[in-house]
Amino acid sequence: MSIYKAPRGTHDIFGKLALGLEKLDLISRQVFRKHNFKEVRTPIFEDVSLFTRSIGEATDIVEKEMYVFEDRKGRKLALRPEGTASLVRAYIEHRFDMTEPIGKFFYSGEMFRYERPQAGRYRQFLQMGAEYLANPSPNADVEIILVAKEILSTLNIKDITIHLNSLGCPKCRAEFRQKLVDYFASISDLCEDCKRRLEKNPLRLLDCKIDSNKFQNVPTMQECLCDDCNNHFQQVQALLKRVDCDYIVDHKLVRGLDYYTRTVFEVRSSSVGSQDALCAGGRYDNLVKELGGQQIPSVGFALGCERVLMACEQNGFFDSLQTDDVVFIALADEELFVDAFTFANDLILNNNDIRKDICLSENIIIEGPFLNKSLKSQFKLADKIGAKKTIIFGKNEFDKGKIIVKDMVTQEQKEVKLPDYCFNRQICNTDSNEVFKNVKK
Ligand SMILES: [Zn+2]
Ligand SMILES: [Zn+2]
């Protein structure tokens, strides 16, 4: 039993999950690049006020989920709970509005929230996301949604639903807010969270997991949208329809962050439970200004890697992950160790002449040789790691300039001639062989 465990709410990523994550990273980068999004890597911690100001004081994240700490000089910092605020901070700080005529960026990395741990939810978790800054048009919203969808469908996650809503602008949302406050005042048995939020953030009541089924005939944002906001919402939907992207308008979709304006969306998958989104985002037309920049209308999304990988697992994605064939280098006679080691190194350095001579495929993993193991235990090890082929160095064959290649599946063995230079090297340079012989004695 180990004395230490990973802190509550964190997890170690290894094995298939690590491979899946690598694949997710690869696929998403290809999609981002295709759409001309450029990577920005921001620090893991930032000034705490960057988040309180952007995400909003009355949100769950700011109220109770942030990891806030003081550094040795008394600076108040927070581990980033999400990626957008940091990216916008970087955009303003480096004047990307001057240097990047198209404001498309992506990020990927660890985020931190002090939440109750549950399946697919961690206190340190991985998110990747894209932000499309300085484009107020509905096509930017749609491209963001399509990028998110493309990543998920490339990962073979088929059972996804896109939920779409508009939160309007500060102008028309004020009306909606008031309608909601009036409406909720008529409901007597609200939960504690809802009562507390009613004043500061009435929109959040709409997605309350306890009360939301009590809300019949609740006012919708749609009824309150001003002409501009309504046009924008209609145009987003028209484009989505045109490119055959299915979605449902969901009046209860409000998102937990304050900075959203107009379009908000979530992509959910029934295979990991419909309560939580695999990915979510929306438009934030006033955030850049709010954080000290120009008025720069923008839209973005973030994707929760752990949850996406859970969905991948449900869809059999992990079973289809192909790993390269392992080729095991075995020793029948230990005095050939140096030759076998050198040969393994030649293979790793991708010396294709050798590969062709012994019929190895393009992508292989080389393992071995090992000292102080019987040939039998070397074969056992080769089996355990799933080696497809074993190359055996034995004295009788090697003296004839040959090695044995054994197919671990069919158990067939054949002698293969080593390229001359492999053999010659041994004759020209016997020193290293001598060192190993001396050690053994
Ligand atoms: Zn409006
Ligand atoms: Zn409630």
Side-chain angles (χ1 to χ4, degrees), residues 242-285:
R242 188 62 192 260
V243 295
D244 291 324
C245 178
D246 292 335
Y247 64 90
I248 51 173
V249 173
D250 180 348
H251 299 296
K252 288 186 172 169
L253 181 64
V254 289
R255 307 287 308 132
L257 295 82
D258 272 2
Y259 52 64
Y260 286 117
T261 50
R262 294 190 170 172
T263 310
V264 286
F265 73 96
E266 282 188 3
V267 186
R268 298 179 194 163
S269 159
S270 53
S271 58
V272 291
S274 54
Q275 287 290 327
D276 284 304
L278 294 180
C279 106
R283 181 162 274 288
Y284 49 95
D285 286 345

mmCIF file of all heavy atoms in Angstrom, residues 242-285:
data_model
loop_
_atom_site.group_PDB
_atom_site.id
_atom_site.type_symbol
_atom_site.label_atom_id
_atom_site.label_comp_id
_atom_site.label_asym_id
_atom_site.label_seq_id
_atom_site.Cartn_x
_atom_site.Cartn_y
_atom_site.Cartn_z
ATOM 1 N N ARG A 242 -28.528 25.210 -43.012
ATOM 2 C CA ARG A 242 -27.963 25.137 -44.357
ATOM 3 C C ARG A 242 -26.834 24.123 -44.443
ATOM 4 O O ARG A 242 -26.663 23.443 -45.447
ATOM 5 C CB ARG A 242 -27.461 26.533 -44.752
ATOM 6 C CG ARG A 242 -27.040 26.659 -46.172
ATOM 7 C CD ARG A 242 -28.228 26.385 -47.083
ATOM 8 N NE ARG A 242 -27.784 26.229 -48.463
ATOM 9 C CZ ARG A 242 -27.857 27.192 -49.378
ATOM 10 N NH1 ARG A 242 -28.405 28.352 -49.081
ATOM 11 N NH2 ARG A 242 -27.413 26.994 -50.593
ATOM 12 N N VAL A 243 -26.036 24.002 -43.361
ATOM 13 C CA VAL A 243 -24.932 23.030 -43.398
ATOM 14 C C VAL A 243 -25.328 21.715 -42.725
ATOM 15 O O VAL A 243 -24.472 20.917 -42.342
ATOM 16 C CB VAL A 243 -23.637 23.596 -42.754
ATOM 17 C CG1 VAL A 243 -23.106 24.763 -43.569
ATOM 18 C CG2 VAL A 243 -23.861 24.015 -41.303
ATOM 19 N N ASP A 244 -26.624 21.481 -42.584
ATOM 20 C CA ASP A 244 -27.136 20.214 -42.043
ATOM 21 C C ASP A 244 -26.623 19.899 -40.646
ATOM 22 O O ASP A 244 -26.310 18.761 -40.330
ATOM 23 C CB ASP A 244 -26.799 19.036 -42.969
ATOM 24 C CG ASP A 244 -27.574 19.118 -44.260
ATOM 25 O OD1 ASP A 244 -28.748 19.561 -44.202
ATOM 26 O OD2 ASP A 244 -26.998 18.779 -45.319
ATOM 27 N N CYS A 245 -26.514 20.929 -39.850
ATOM 28 C CA CYS A 245 -26.087 20.709 -38.469
ATOM 29 C C CYS A 245 -27.338 20.735 -37.578
ATOM 30 O O CYS A 245 -27.949 21.781 -37.376
ATOM 31 C CB CYS A 245 -25.093 21.788 -38.060
ATOM 32 S SG CYS A 245 -24.550 21.640 -36.357
ATOM 33 N N ASP A 246 -27.719 19.578 -37.064
ATOM 34 C CA ASP A 246 -28.923 19.487 -36.232
ATOM 35 C C ASP A 246 -28.704 20.157 -34.879
ATOM 36 O O ASP A 246 -27.608 20.111 -34.323
ATOM 37 C CB ASP A 246 -29.289 18.014 -35.982
ATOM 38 C CG ASP A 246 -29.747 17.351 -37.273
ATOM 39 O OD1 ASP A 246 -30.223 18.083 -38.158
ATOM 40 O OD2 ASP A 246 -29.596 16.113 -37.381
ATOM 41 N N TYR A 247 -29.762 20.770 -34.367
ATOM 42 C CA TYR A 247 -29.683 21.423 -33.056
ATOM 43 C C TYR A 247 -31.092 21.503 -32.505
ATOM 44 O O TYR A 247 -32.064 21.354 -33.247
ATOM 45 C CB TYR A 247 -29.090 22.839 -33.186
ATOM 46 C CG TYR A 247 -29.961 23.752 -33.995
ATOM 47 C CD1 TYR A 247 -30.966 24.531 -33.389
ATOM 48 C CD2 TYR A 247 -29.808 23.837 -35.378
ATOM 49 C CE1 TYR A 247 -31.799 25.341 -34.148
ATOM 50 C CE2 TYR A 247 -30.634 24.650 -36.131
ATOM 51 C CZ TYR A 247 -31.622 25.395 -35.523
ATOM 52 O OH TYR A 247 -32.433 26.192 -36.279
ATOM 53 N N ILE A 248 -31.215 21.748 -31.208
ATOM 54 C CA ILE A 248 -32.534 22.069 -30.677
ATOM 55 C C ILE A 248 -32.450 23.374 -29.897
ATOM 56 O O ILE A 248 -31.452 23.632 -29.215
ATOM 57 C CB ILE A 248 -33.122 20.952 -29.777
ATOM 58 C CG1 ILE A 248 -32.128 20.517 -28.702
ATOM 59 C CG2 ILE A 248 -33.539 19.740 -30.579
ATOM 60 C CD1 ILE A 248 -32.733 19.550 -27.704
ATOM 61 N N VAL A 249 -33.457 24.211 -30.067
ATOM 62 C CA VAL A 249 -33.492 25.454 -29.296
ATOM 63 C C VAL A 249 -33.950 25.105 -27.884
ATOM 64 O O VAL A 249 -34.990 24.474 -27.697
ATOM 65 C CB VAL A 249 -34.437 26.486 -29.943
ATOM 66 C CG1 VAL A 249 -34.584 27.708 -29.043
ATOM 67 C CG2 VAL A 249 -33.904 26.888 -31.311
ATOM 68 N N ASP A 250 -33.154 25.475 -26.908
ATOM 69 C CA ASP A 250 -33.389 25.078 -25.519
ATOM 70 C C ASP A 250 -33.476 26.353 -24.662
ATOM 71 O O ASP A 250 -32.466 26.972 -24.349
ATOM 72 C CB ASP A 250 -32.221 24.182 -25.070
ATOM 73 C CG ASP A 250 -32.371 23.711 -23.638
ATOM 74 O OD1 ASP A 250 -33.240 24.251 -22.911
ATOM 75 O OD2 ASP A 250 -31.608 22.819 -23.236
ATOM 76 N N HIS A 251 -34.732 26.711 -24.310
ATOM 77 C CA HIS A 251 -34.942 27.975 -23.603
ATOM 78 C C HIS A 251 -34.350 27.992 -22.212
ATOM 79 O O HIS A 251 -34.167 29.046 -21.618
ATOM 80 C CB HIS A 251 -36.448 28.274 -23.515
ATOM 81 C CG HIS A 251 -37.080 28.422 -24.842
ATOM 82 N ND1 HIS A 251 -36.722 29.444 -25.705
ATOM 83 C CD2 HIS A 251 -38.010 27.693 -25.498
ATOM 84 C CE1 HIS A 251 -37.423 29.329 -26.816
ATOM 85 N NE2 HIS A 251 -38.201 28.269 -26.725
ATOM 86 N N LYS A 252 -34.068 26.799 -21.691
ATOM 87 C CA LYS A 252 -33.545 26.748 -20.323
ATOM 88 C C LYS A 252 -32.017 26.771 -20.276
ATOM 89 O O LYS A 252 -31.421 26.708 -19.220
ATOM 90 C CB LYS A 252 -34.078 25.514 -19.609
ATOM 91 C CG LYS A 252 -35.561 25.671 -19.276
ATOM 92 C CD LYS A 252 -36.099 24.540 -18.453
ATOM 93 C CE LYS A 252 -37.530 24.887 -18.017
ATOM 94 N NZ LYS A 252 -38.214 23.731 -17.429
ATOM 95 N N LEU A 253 -31.409 26.821 -21.455
ATOM 96 C CA LEU A 253 -29.944 26.848 -21.493
ATOM 97 C C LEU A 253 -29.453 28.264 -21.174
ATOM 98 O O LEU A 253 -29.702 29.206 -21.925
ATOM 99 C CB LEU A 253 -29.453 26.423 -22.886
ATOM 100 C CG LEU A 253 -27.948 26.365 -23.082
ATOM 101 C CD1 LEU A 253 -27.331 25.303 -22.203
ATOM 102 C CD2 LEU A 253 -27.623 26.097 -24.535
ATOM 103 N N VAL A 254 -28.760 28.421 -20.028
ATOM 104 C CA VAL A 254 -28.305 29.763 -19.657
ATOM 105 C C VAL A 254 -26.803 29.853 -19.404
ATOM 106 O O VAL A 254 -26.235 30.914 -19.400
ATOM 107 C CB VAL A 254 -29.055 30.288 -18.408
ATOM 108 C CG1 VAL A 254 -30.497 30.602 -18.763
ATOM 109 C CG2 VAL A 254 -28.971 29.321 -17.254
ATOM 110 N N ARG A 255 -26.133 28.715 -19.154
ATOM 111 C CA ARG A 255 -24.689 28.675 -18.879
ATOM 112 C C ARG A 255 -24.370 29.370 -17.544
ATOM 113 O O ARG A 255 -25.030 30.339 -17.157
ATOM 114 C CB ARG A 255 -23.862 29.322 -19.992
ATOM 115 C CG ARG A 255 -24.142 28.799 -21.357
ATOM 116 C CD ARG A 255 -23.573 27.393 -21.569
ATOM 117 N NE ARG A 255 -22.177 27.337 -21.220
ATOM 118 C CZ ARG A 255 -21.627 26.398 -20.456
ATOM 119 N NH1 ARG A 255 -22.349 25.439 -19.958
ATOM 120 N NH2 ARG A 255 -20.358 26.430 -20.177
ATOM 121 N N GLY A 256 -23.324 28.885 -16.903
ATOM 122 C CA GLY A 256 -23.015 29.367 -15.567
ATOM 123 C C GLY A 256 -22.114 30.584 -15.498
ATOM 124 O O GLY A 256 -21.692 30.970 -14.420
ATOM 125 N N LEU A 257 -21.810 31.169 -16.629
ATOM 126 C CA LEU A 257 -20.874 32.292 -16.609
ATOM 127 C C LEU A 257 -21.600 33.561 -17.055
ATOM 128 O O LEU A 257 -22.445 33.521 -17.934
ATOM 129 C CB LEU A 257 -19.671 32.019 -17.530
ATOM 130 C CG LEU A 257 -18.768 30.863 -17.118
ATOM 131 C CD1 LEU A 257 -19.329 29.531 -17.572
ATOM 132 C CD2 LEU A 257 -17.371 31.039 -17.666
ATOM 133 N N ASP A 258 -21.218 34.662 -16.440
ATOM 134 C CA ASP A 258 -21.946 35.913 -16.676
ATOM 135 C C ASP A 258 -21.676 36.589 -18.012
ATOM 136 O O ASP A 258 -22.452 37.398 -18.471
ATOM 137 C CB ASP A 258 -21.586 36.928 -15.577
ATOM 138 C CG ASP A 258 -22.507 36.774 -14.378
ATOM 139 O OD1 ASP A 258 -23.360 35.865 -14.413
ATOM 140 O OD2 ASP A 258 -22.365 37.568 -13.428
ATOM 141 N N TYR A 259 -20.517 36.264 -18.633
ATOM 142 C CA TYR A 259 -20.109 37.113 -19.749
ATOM 143 C C TYR A 259 -20.799 36.817 -21.079
ATOM 144 O O TYR A 259 -20.583 37.514 -22.061
ATOM 145 C CB TYR A 259 -18.582 37.097 -19.931
ATOM 146 C CG TYR A 259 -17.911 35.752 -20.044
ATOM 147 C CD1 TYR A 259 -18.163 34.896 -21.088
ATOM 148 C CD2 TYR A 259 -16.957 35.362 -19.094
ATOM 149 C CE1 TYR A 259 -17.525 33.690 -21.197
ATOM 150 C CE2 TYR A 259 -16.301 34.153 -19.184
ATOM 151 C CZ TYR A 259 -16.580 33.317 -20.243
ATOM 152 O OH TYR A 259 -15.932 32.120 -20.335
ATOM 153 N N TYR A 260 -21.633 35.790 -21.124
ATOM 154 C CA TYR A 260 -22.241 35.441 -22.406
ATOM 155 C C TYR A 260 -23.301 36.446 -22.861
ATOM 156 O O TYR A 260 -24.067 36.979 -22.062
ATOM 157 C CB TYR A 260 -22.854 34.053 -22.356
ATOM 158 C CG TYR A 260 -21.819 32.957 -22.373
ATOM 159 C CD1 TYR A 260 -21.685 32.088 -21.299
ATOM 160 C CD2 TYR A 260 -20.955 32.810 -23.453
ATOM 161 C CE1 TYR A 260 -20.723 31.087 -21.308
ATOM 162 C CE2 TYR A 260 -19.991 31.822 -23.471
ATOM 163 C CZ TYR A 260 -19.881 30.961 -22.403
ATOM 164 O OH TYR A 260 -18.926 29.984 -22.410
ATOM 165 N N THR A 261 -23.314 36.690 -24.157
ATOM 166 C CA THR A 261 -24.351 37.509 -24.794
ATOM 167 C C THR A 261 -24.817 36.744 -26.030
ATOM 168 O O THR A 261 -24.054 35.989 -26.624
ATOM 169 C CB THR A 261 -23.782 38.860 -25.277
ATOM 170 O OG1 THR A 261 -22.591 38.591 -26.043
ATOM 171 C CG2 THR A 261 -23.427 39.769 -24.119
ATOM 172 N N ARG A 262 -26.040 36.936 -26.394
ATOM 173 C CA ARG A 262 -26.589 36.285 -27.587
ATOM 174 C C ARG A 262 -26.392 34.757 -27.552
ATOM 175 O O ARG A 262 -26.765 34.120 -26.591
ATOM 176 C CB ARG A 262 -25.996 36.895 -28.867
ATOM 177 C CG ARG A 262 -26.450 38.349 -29.000
ATOM 178 C CD ARG A 262 -26.131 38.964 -30.345
ATOM 179 N NE ARG A 262 -26.793 40.256 -30.465
ATOM 180 C CZ ARG A 262 -26.588 41.106 -31.455
ATOM 181 N NH1 ARG A 262 -25.751 40.814 -32.423
ATOM 182 N NH2 ARG A 262 -27.247 42.244 -31.496
ATOM 183 N N THR A 263 -25.750 34.204 -28.594
ATOM 184 C CA THR A 263 -25.689 32.745 -28.732
ATOM 185 C C THR A 263 -25.012 32.038 -27.555
ATOM 186 O O THR A 263 -23.909 32.408 -27.145
ATOM 187 C CB THR A 263 -24.890 32.387 -30.008
ATOM 188 O OG1 THR A 263 -25.413 33.145 -31.092
ATOM 189 C CG2 THR A 263 -24.987 30.901 -30.302
ATOM 190 N N VAL A 264 -25.681 31.042 -26.996
ATOM 191 C CA VAL A 264 -25.016 30.080 -26.109
ATOM 192 C C VAL A 264 -25.377 28.687 -26.609
ATOM 193 O O VAL A 264 -26.438 28.492 -27.200
ATOM 194 C CB VAL A 264 -25.436 30.215 -24.629
ATOM 195 C CG1 VAL A 264 -24.817 31.439 -23.988
ATOM 196 C CG2 VAL A 264 -26.954 30.231 -24.475
ATOM 197 N N PHE A 265 -24.465 27.741 -26.398
ATOM 198 C CA PHE A 265 -24.767 26.365 -26.831
ATOM 199 C C PHE A 265 -24.053 25.352 -25.955
ATOM 200 O O PHE A 265 -23.076 25.674 -25.280
ATOM 201 C CB PHE A 265 -24.388 26.167 -28.310
ATOM 202 C CG PHE A 265 -22.905 26.089 -28.562
ATOM 203 C CD1 PHE A 265 -22.266 24.853 -28.653
ATOM 204 C CD2 PHE A 265 -22.139 27.237 -28.703
ATOM 205 C CE1 PHE A 265 -20.892 24.777 -28.885
ATOM 206 C CE2 PHE A 265 -20.765 27.170 -28.928
ATOM 207 C CZ PHE A 265 -20.154 25.932 -29.021
ATOM 208 N N GLU A 266 -24.596 24.165 -25.964
ATOM 209 C CA GLU A 266 -23.957 23.031 -25.296
ATOM 210 C C GLU A 266 -24.074 21.831 -26.209
ATOM 211 O O GLU A 266 -25.084 21.667 -26.890
ATOM 212 C CB GLU A 266 -24.665 22.694 -23.976
ATOM 213 C CG GLU A 266 -24.313 23.629 -22.843
ATOM 214 C CD GLU A 266 -24.859 23.168 -21.490
ATOM 215 O OE1 GLU A 266 -25.482 22.077 -21.411
ATOM 216 O OE2 GLU A 266 -24.666 23.902 -20.522
ATOM 217 N N VAL A 267 -23.032 20.995 -26.207
ATOM 218 C CA VAL A 267 -23.127 19.729 -26.924
ATOM 219 C C VAL A 267 -23.175 18.631 -25.880
ATOM 220 O O VAL A 267 -22.277 18.524 -25.048
ATOM 221 C CB VAL A 267 -21.930 19.514 -27.875
ATOM 222 C CG1 VAL A 267 -22.156 18.257 -28.714
ATOM 223 C CG2 VAL A 267 -21.734 20.721 -28.775
ATOM 224 N N ARG A 268 -24.263 17.864 -25.887
ATOM 225 C CA ARG A 268 -24.429 16.810 -24.891
ATOM 226 C C ARG A 268 -24.431 15.449 -25.568
ATOM 227 O O ARG A 268 -24.771 15.339 -26.744
ATOM 228 C CB ARG A 268 -25.738 17.006 -24.124
ATOM 229 C CG ARG A 268 -25.762 18.327 -23.362
ATOM 230 C CD ARG A 268 -27.064 18.536 -22.634
ATOM 231 N NE ARG A 268 -27.189 19.927 -22.184
ATOM 232 C CZ ARG A 268 -28.324 20.491 -21.813
ATOM 233 N NH1 ARG A 268 -29.444 19.785 -21.832
ATOM 234 N NH2 ARG A 268 -28.359 21.753 -21.415
ATOM 235 N N SER A 269 -24.059 14.460 -24.790
ATOM 236 C CA SER A 269 -24.043 13.102 -25.316
ATOM 237 C C SER A 269 -24.848 12.212 -24.388
ATOM 238 O O SER A 269 -24.625 12.225 -23.179
ATOM 239 C CB SER A 269 -22.600 12.595 -25.406
ATOM 240 O OG SER A 269 -22.581 11.191 -25.434
ATOM 241 N N SER A 270 -25.783 11.442 -24.943
ATOM 242 C CA SER A 270 -26.623 10.606 -24.079
ATOM 243 C C SER A 270 -25.811 9.492 -23.426
ATOM 244 O O SER A 270 -26.189 8.978 -22.391
ATOM 245 C CB SER A 270 -27.779 10.016 -24.883
ATOM 246 O OG SER A 270 -27.270 9.358 -26.017
ATOM 247 N N SER A 271 -24.665 9.159 -24.008
ATOM 248 C CA SER A 271 -23.901 8.041 -23.444
ATOM 249 C C SER A 271 -23.178 8.404 -22.146
ATOM 250 O O SER A 271 -22.740 7.531 -21.421
ATOM 251 C CB SER A 271 -22.907 7.493 -24.465
ATOM 252 O OG SER A 271 -22.037 8.495 -24.896
ATOM 253 N N VAL A 272 -23.032 9.662 -21.842
ATOM 254 C CA VAL A 272 -22.411 10.014 -20.563
ATOM 255 C C VAL A 272 -23.383 10.808 -19.687
ATOM 256 O O VAL A 272 -22.974 11.535 -18.790
ATOM 257 C CB VAL A 272 -21.075 10.800 -20.721
ATOM 258 C CG1 VAL A 272 -20.003 9.914 -21.293
ATOM 259 C CG2 VAL A 272 -21.251 12.040 -21.570
ATOM 260 N N GLY A 273 -24.654 10.673 -19.933
ATOM 261 C CA GLY A 273 -25.638 11.389 -19.115
ATOM 262 C C GLY A 273 -25.896 12.750 -19.697
ATOM 263 O O GLY A 273 -24.967 13.473 -20.056
ATOM 264 N N SER A 274 -27.160 13.119 -19.787
ATOM 265 C CA SER A 274 -27.486 14.341 -20.514
ATOM 266 C C SER A 274 -27.379 15.600 -19.655
ATOM 267 O O SER A 274 -27.527 16.704 -20.140
ATOM 268 C CB SER A 274 -28.904 14.223 -21.071
ATOM 269 O OG SER A 274 -29.792 13.913 -20.015
ATOM 270 N N GLN A 275 -27.114 15.410 -18.354
ATOM 271 C CA GLN A 275 -27.031 16.595 -17.486
ATOM 272 C C GLN A 275 -25.824 17.467 -17.818
ATOM 273 O O GLN A 275 -25.906 18.678 -17.764
ATOM 274 C CB GLN A 275 -26.938 16.160 -16.012
ATOM 275 C CG GLN A 275 -28.243 15.633 -15.454
ATOM 276 C CD GLN A 275 -29.291 16.727 -15.287
ATOM 277 O OE1 GLN A 275 -28.953 17.859 -14.996
ATOM 278 N NE2 GLN A 275 -30.547 16.388 -15.496
ATOM 279 N N ASP A 276 -24.721 16.811 -18.117
ATOM 280 C CA ASP A 276 -23.500 17.581 -18.312
ATOM 281 C C ASP A 276 -23.073 17.621 -19.766
ATOM 282 O O ASP A 276 -23.211 16.649 -20.491
ATOM 283 C CB ASP A 276 -22.382 16.993 -17.476
ATOM 284 C CG ASP A 276 -22.553 17.371 -16.014
ATOM 285 O OD1 ASP A 276 -22.639 18.579 -15.733
ATOM 286 O OD2 ASP A 276 -22.623 16.456 -15.191
ATOM 287 N N ALA A 277 -22.555 18.752 -20.152
ATOM 288 C CA ALA A 277 -22.160 18.931 -21.545
ATOM 289 C C ALA A 277 -20.766 18.371 -21.789
ATOM 290 O O ALA A 277 -19.913 18.378 -20.909
ATOM 291 C CB ALA A 277 -22.182 20.408 -21.884
ATOM 292 N N LEU A 278 -20.539 17.875 -22.990
ATOM 293 C CA LEU A 278 -19.195 17.507 -23.408
ATOM 294 C C LEU A 278 -18.433 18.767 -23.754
ATOM 295 O O LEU A 278 -17.242 18.880 -23.553
ATOM 296 C CB LEU A 278 -19.241 16.640 -24.671
ATOM 297 C CG LEU A 278 -19.870 15.265 -24.584
ATOM 298 C CD1 LEU A 278 -19.795 14.601 -25.945
ATOM 299 C CD2 LEU A 278 -19.154 14.440 -23.540
ATOM 300 N N CYS A 279 -19.169 19.708 -24.284
ATOM 301 C CA CYS A 279 -18.534 20.957 -24.659
ATOM 302 C C CYS A 279 -19.596 22.041 -24.722
ATOM 303 O O CYS A 279 -20.787 21.749 -24.883
ATOM 304 C CB CYS A 279 -17.751 20.760 -25.947
ATOM 305 S SG CYS A 279 -18.412 21.421 -27.394
ATOM 306 N N ALA A 280 -19.188 23.261 -24.480
ATOM 307 C CA ALA A 280 -20.152 24.344 -24.360
ATOM 308 C C ALA A 280 -19.471 25.662 -24.682
ATOM 309 O O ALA A 280 -18.254 25.791 -24.604
ATOM 310 C CB ALA A 280 -20.699 24.400 -22.943
ATOM 311 N N GLY A 281 -20.306 26.632 -25.052
ATOM 312 C CA GLY A 281 -19.708 27.924 -25.355
ATOM 313 C C GLY A 281 -20.760 28.953 -25.689
ATOM 314 O O GLY A 281 -21.951 28.752 -25.446
ATOM 315 N N GLY A 282 -20.286 30.025 -26.259
ATOM 316 C CA GLY A 282 -21.211 31.080 -26.614
ATOM 317 C C GLY A 282 -20.496 32.362 -26.969
ATOM 318 O O GLY A 282 -19.264 32.432 -27.000
ATOM 319 N N ARG A 283 -21.322 33.368 -27.225
ATOM 320 C CA ARG A 283 -20.811 34.668 -27.645
ATOM 321 C C ARG A 283 -20.595 35.560 -26.426
ATOM 322 O O ARG A 283 -21.363 35.500 -25.455
ATOM 323 C CB ARG A 283 -21.834 35.285 -28.616
ATOM 324 C CG ARG A 283 -21.475 36.615 -29.180
ATOM 325 C CD ARG A 283 -22.292 36.944 -30.410
ATOM 326 N NE ARG A 283 -21.693 36.390 -31.624
ATOM 327 C CZ ARG A 283 -20.574 36.875 -32.188
ATOM 328 N NH1 ARG A 283 -19.940 37.914 -31.664
ATOM 329 N NH2 ARG A 283 -20.088 36.332 -33.284
ATOM 330 N N TYR A 284 -19.532 36.319 -26.450
ATOM 331 C CA TYR A 284 -19.268 37.253 -25.350
ATOM 332 C C TYR A 284 -18.821 38.602 -25.936
ATOM 333 O O TYR A 284 -17.667 38.933 -26.020
ATOM 334 C CB TYR A 284 -18.233 36.682 -24.365
ATOM 335 C CG TYR A 284 -16.978 36.121 -24.995
ATOM 336 C CD1 TYR A 284 -15.831 36.903 -25.118
ATOM 337 C CD2 TYR A 284 -16.931 34.813 -25.461
ATOM 338 C CE1 TYR A 284 -14.677 36.391 -25.694
ATOM 339 C CE2 TYR A 284 -15.785 34.302 -26.037
ATOM 340 C CZ TYR A 284 -14.665 35.088 -26.146
ATOM 341 O OH TYR A 284 -13.522 34.586 -26.736
ATOM 342 N N ASP A 285 -19.814 39.390 -26.341
ATOM 343 C CA ASP A 285 -19.525 40.608 -27.092
ATOM 344 C C ASP A 285 -18.909 41.721 -26.247
ATOM 345 O O ASP A 285 -18.296 42.635 -26.776
ATOM 346 C CB ASP A 285 -20.812 41.110 -27.768
ATOM 347 C CG ASP A 285 -21.187 40.234 -28.963
ATOM 348 O OD1 ASP A 285 -20.324 39.446 -29.412
ATOM 349 O OD2 ASP A 285 -22.338 40.331 -29.437
#
